[in-house]
Amino acid sequence: MRAKTTEDRKLIEIFDPIAEALGLDIVRVRLMGSNKPDGARRLQVMAERKVDGDINVAQCARLSRAISAYMDEADPITGEYILEVSSPGIDRPLTRLKDFVTYEGLEARIELDRLAEGRKRFRGILAGIEDDHVAIDLEGEEETALMPFAWVVEAKLILTDELLKQGAEKAASRREAGEDEDEDDFDGGDDADDGVVANDDEDFDYEAFDDDDFDDEQDNEDDKDRTQ
């Protein structure tokens, strides 16, 4: 889930030790096509601090420079590309088994690569893990649902009031600590408050697994079928 393609997986193998040296974890890597004909490809790297799952603008900048230095020397990607290093965001993707423990109690959407009880898409409250299975409490279901983590192709938190509150608390903590003010030579531009190194690419497609990726009407039909 941290990677979708073979190319993504190879890049993660490269980026993991680079991030590790900076006290960071790579959450997800996506090398995507351009939004414009013959345009540069998009290399999106999401990262967070190992200690608390947060990250600030300065740390994004350091990781961006470290990755860029390696890429300039090793040149592992054919053709032009634009590098973007960012935080996972508030309604973040859940890409590792441990994420389902860290964000237990919050609402999430999960999509599988195969049918489970007649459906692929689920929405509910995360209930941790059991061995290598993800646990989720589904609305209207008495028993907690378990699904193999290996079946999960996409998962992300849903933007709820509780999640917004947690995000605001993290942002306040960063401001109090002055974390985003220790990178004098980095200009984050309009995205500085978001902890994003934007690379001046206004047309960047984050491929962020938005709510539109889920067909709620289909989910409702699935629920009806299960109750009949």
Side-chain angles (χ1 to χ4, degrees):
M1 285 183 58
R2 290 201 302 155
K4 272 191 173 182
T5 67
T6 300
E7 199 167 18
D8 291 344
R9 286 189 286 273
K10 289 180 178 179
L11 290 172
I12 281 181
E13 291 178 1
I14 294 170
F15 298 160
D16 273 341
I18 295 174
E20 177 85 20
L22 298 173
L24 303 173
D25 276 334
I26 300 296
V27 175
R28 192 178 80 175
V29 169
R30 294 286 188 272
L31 180 59
M32 296 170 282
S34 172
N35 292 331
K36 303 175 182 178
D38 300 321
R41 301 170 75 185
R42 272 66 174 173
L43 175 56
Q44 181 196 61
V45 180
M46 290 184 178
E48 64 184 13
R49 285 194 297 254
K50 287 180 172 294
V51 293
D52 60 6
D54 202 357
I55 194 169
N56 59 40
V57 174
Q59 289 164 328
C60 283
R62 293 188 192 106
L63 180 58
S64 180
R65 287 197 295 267
I67 289 176
S68 293
Y70 175 89
M71 301 291 275
D72 289 345
E73 181 176 349
D75 196 22
I77 298 177
T78 302
E80 296 182 359
Y81 66 91
I82 296 171
L83 171 64
E84 185 223 357
V85 178
S86 75
S87 73
I90 299 176
D91 52 341
R92 55 172 296 140
L94 308 169
T95 62
R96 302 156 298 182
L97 191 59
K98 69 177 184 178
D99 292 337
F100 294 87
V101 177
T102 301
Y103 298 98
E104 183 175 353
L106 294 174
E107 193 171 3
R109 293 178 184 268
I110 298 174
E111 182 174 358
L112 308 181
D113 65 359
R114 67 200 74 184
L115 291 175
E117 298 185 8
R119 61 193 295 191
K120 287 186 176 181
R121 297 183 175 112
F122 298 82
R123 174 173 176 162
I125 305 299
L126 296 178
I129 62 174
E130 185 174 314
D131 297 326
D132 58 351
H133 286 63
V134 173
I136 185 170
D137 291 325
L138 305 174
E139 185 175 356
E141 300 284 345
E142 293 184 2
E143 295 186 2
T144 297
L146 291 175
M147 55 198 71
F149 176 68
W151 293 7
V152 178
V153 291
E154 296 285 0
K156 69 170 293 187
L157 296 179
I158 294 175
L159 201 60
T160 60
D161 290 342
E162 176 61 26
L163 188 57
L164 287 170
K165 178 182 177 182
Q166 290 189 15
E169 290 173 349
K170 280 188 176 182
S173 296
R174 285 197 300 270
R175 286 194 296 270
E176 290 177 3
E179 288 187 357
D180 290 342
E181 298 175 358
D182 62 352
E183 191 71 15
D184 294 337
D185 59 345
F186 173 65
D187 180 7
D190 293 336
D191 290 317
D193 291 338
D194 295 328
V196 175
V197 181
N199 288 290
D200 298 326
D201 184 24
E202 296 178 357
D203 295 323
F204 182 76
D205 179 3
Y206 286 86
E207 195 185 48
F209 194 52
D210 294 332
D211 287 349
D212 291 342
D213 291 329
F214 288 92
D215 185 350
D216 288 329
E217 291 183 3
Q218 182 62 49
D219 287 347
N220 292 336
E221 291 298 322
D222 291 340
D223 291 338
K224 290 179 182 177
D225 293 341
R226 296 175 63 202
T227 56
Q228 290 178 353

